[in-house]
Amino acid sequence: METVNPATFDDIRPVNDNEVPQAIEDLIASDGLWRALSYIAPDADRAALSDAMRACRTKAEFKSTIGYKTVMAIARRSTFSLTISGRSRLPADKAPCTFISNHRDIVLDAAFLNVLLYDVGYDMTQIAIGDNLLITPWIRLIVRLNNSFIVKRNVSARRLLENSRVLSEYIRHTLRDTHESIWIAQREGRAKDSNDHTQTAVLKMLCMAGQADNLLENLMELNIVPIAISYEYDPCDYLKAREFQLKRDNPHYTKTERDDLLSMQTGIMDDKGRVHFTIGSPLNDTLRHFDPATPRNEMLTAAAAAIDRDIYAHYRFYPGNYVAYDLLHASLRFRMNYDQRDKARFEAYLRKQIDRIDDLPNKDEAFLRTKLLEMYANPLKNHWDTKTE
């Protein structure tokens, strides 16, 4: 395949190492950063943190010191535990992978994955992030310093095709030429009801830059590894439920920048309980059994379904998932997986989250409760439906 000029990617790539010192100076000069830190880490020493940032001369140094310490501080503050399993399924030779996961939290899914990979001796990934979240210049700076590349949203159909092609080329360039893994969500945006499905559009984009006449080879070159993410509590669940009602009551409702900022802030700061990441089986183990003559759309659908099955198989479940399923379906199917204290605790949690929704003119508590229950029951439903296929 012809090598692409790296300058093609200047408006979506992370900062280059030679740009790190200036990017850090621009970040330090940003009032927005320090306003955010005054809320997230009120005890942070501005002078000491500025000196620590200036000591970083490369992206690798920035993300393994400043980025790592920041994410671990968030984990200590907002999780009971942050764990990973399945590390034996990572390539023994540290070959770069395309990690594809379900998507729960706007900011922390990829950030948590990176620190967990770093702790088990695997290189951190480059992270795909939508430009709709880069609301302020300092946010754009900090994510690019932490090795994120930008996915352009809300563009015309004509521009979308071109942007997708460039993004696909960038991902191939990163895997092949810079030998870095990447993380990308299985779909655009979060599955608000936790009913996780891989969009074939994501796989189509990933394959745009490959050899057009061999889709199976294109898919295998990506070295896709599914990741299952399981949060005991989703801090943004009440915001997602609120959005469901707003969209039900007004089909033309769209989120604002303020909504995205609140979701980012809530996801970072609020309690998540136990958080677990499971590294799944490399997709190539399944793709090897595909017929190369399979029609294109059929192959993409089958590949997406294989990713989904692997994610469903590797969820980790907590008492709230079992309680939510039984409450939602008025059943006792999972009664052996929780006790009355678990049930009372989860119902109290639901009540607390519904009470946080205080700005809906026609607040429909029954609807909101159902939506919250679906968020916690759907992963369990998909897991068991897959097991019984």
Side-chain angles (χ1 to χ4, degrees), residues 13-28 33 53-54 56-67 114 124-127 137-150 180:
R13 63 169 173 78
V15 296
N16 290 326
D17 282 345
N18 65 339
E19 299 166 331
V20 167
Q22 185 58 56
I24 287 173
E25 290 302 324
D26 292 343
L27 188 60
I28 290 170
L33 169 69
M53 285 194 282
R54 288 186 173 114
C56 299
R57 310 307 296 177
T58 65
K59 281 182 304 182
E61 289 178 5
F62 188 89
K63 66 184 181 179
S64 65
T65 54
I66 305 301
N114 265 349
M124 292 186 182
T125 69
Q126 285 201 26
I127 300 166
W138 76 264
I139 293 177
R140 178 179 287 264
L141 269 174
I142 204 164
V143 300
R144 293 183 70 227
L145 276 164
N146 274 292
N147 225 18
S148 294
F149 59 95
I150 298 166
E180 293 176 89

Side-chain angles (χ1 to χ4, degrees), residues 171-186:
I171 289 169
R172 297 273 175 164
H173 163 74
T174 301
L175 294 168
R176 182 187 63 243
D177 300 330
T178 67
H179 307 290
E180 293 176 89
S181 294
I182 68 121
W183 172 88
I184 191 166
Q186 66 182 171

